[in-house]
Amino acid sequence: MNSKLTISICQFPIAFLNWEKNQEKALSYIKQAQKEQSDLIIFPEMTLTGISKNISTMSDSNQKSISFFKKAAIDSHIAIGFGWGKPAGEKLENHYTIIDEYGNILSDYIKIHPFTYGGEDLCFVRGSSFNTFSYKDFTIATFICYDMRFPEIFQAASKKADLIILCANWPKARNMHWKVLSQARAIENQVYFAACNCVGEVGGLLYSGDSTLYSPEGKIIKSLSETEGLITCTITNDVSSIRKGFPVKQDRLTDYYKSIL
């Protein structure tokens, strides 16, 4: 029998650099996910602050985000994914962390691709690796926002991953790219793909959300656009059988691709 996972994807208008207001909002959605019997709830990138060039305000030197979400995970008995900024010299690391329902850290990823067009390289150092982790018999990988534009890392992750989570602050001005690329990442990697974005006005930029859960065949399981809210879906880990039924990955020529790059 294939394993099942109930996942909630939360999109909300992050109150810019307002820790307390965002904590209140996050708790309200965690409670909703608990009522919907979710195993895992994921939030957008830099969950409690949004993206800013104000490093000192974004900086979480005491790791209060971890403490806050650890308590929330234990209290609600739900695993939680969230973004936060860790000091790294004069800059920050852009983290996305998953904590299980017992308060254990399952994964802690640092964004590999800062968005240089938006000046993120002036505020954030870049990560150098990713990992996969197991939860409810799914193998999962996490990435952040601008990472979406670089498909090679997703191919590498999907050698093991059944589910890829990407959380973002992706502006409405490029929401067509968001939709096309996230669907493509699901199709080309034959994975469940959970794309979680913020919505509304955050720091002077507009966000349309468009948070979506895609099947390994690229079908939209559930999506939410232009409004805050929660989408909750139960998925079955049928990735292996899908890949056997349409074995695209066996025809990849990894060594050749390396040679031409």
Side-chain angles (χ1 to χ4, degrees), residues 47-180:
T47 308
L48 300 179
T49 61
I51 297 286
S52 167
K53 293 182 180 178
N54 188 330
I55 294 173
S56 62
T57 308
M58 284 191 298
S59 177
D60 190 356
S61 56
N62 296 319
Q63 299 192 13
K64 58 184 179 182
S65 295
I66 295 223
S67 298
F68 170 75
F69 283 111
K70 180 177 181 178
K71 183 178 186 303
I74 294 170
D75 289 347
S76 62
H77 205 63
I78 293 174
I80 302 173
F82 59 94
W84 60 289
K86 183 178 181 179
E90 296 181 354
K91 298 182 181 181
L92 300 175
E93 295 170 344
N94 186 339
H95 282 248
Y96 200 81
T97 303
I98 307 280
I99 292 180
D100 73 11
E101 62 269 35
Y102 304 105
N104 302 308
I105 294 177
L106 297 176
S107 176
D108 186 30
Y109 167 72
I110 302 170
K111 188 177 184 178
I112 291 175
H113 300 95
F115 183 39
T116 56
Y117 179 79
E120 285 187 13
D121 57 316
L122 303 176
C123 304
F124 296 98
V125 300
R126 75 177 202 65
S128 58
S129 64
F130 70 87
N131 68 295
T132 58
F133 65 96
S134 295
Y135 184 66
K136 302 291 183 181
D137 292 325
F138 276 74
T139 301
I140 305 171
T142 62
F143 294 103
I144 301 173
C145 202
Y146 191 52
D147 286 336
M148 179 107 85
R149 293 185 180 272
F150 305 94
E152 293 86 353
I153 55 175
F154 295 90
Q155 283 292 339
S158 66
K159 288 181 179 179
K160 296 181 179 178
D162 312 301
L163 165 65
I164 293 179
I165 293 168
L166 183 133
C167 294
N169 286 190
W170 191 290
K172 181 176 181 177
R174 292 179 291 277
N175 70 335
M176 185 267 286
H177 296 185
W178 167 264
K179 294 175 184 178
V180 172

Side-chain angles (χ1 to χ4, degrees), residues 210-230:
D210 300 304
S211 295
T212 306
L213 180 63
Y214 293 93
S215 77
E217 296 174 322
K219 296 178 181 178
I220 294 175
I221 297 174
K222 192 174 282 191
S223 185
L224 186 65
S225 181
E226 298 289 357
T227 185
E228 70 173 287
L230 196 71

Side-chain angles (χ1 to χ4, degrees), residues 181-193:
L181 292 174
S182 55
Q183 186 176 36
R185 296 296 88 89
I187 294 169
E188 67 197 7
N189 293 287
Q190 295 180 303
V191 293
Y192 285 98
F193 195 91

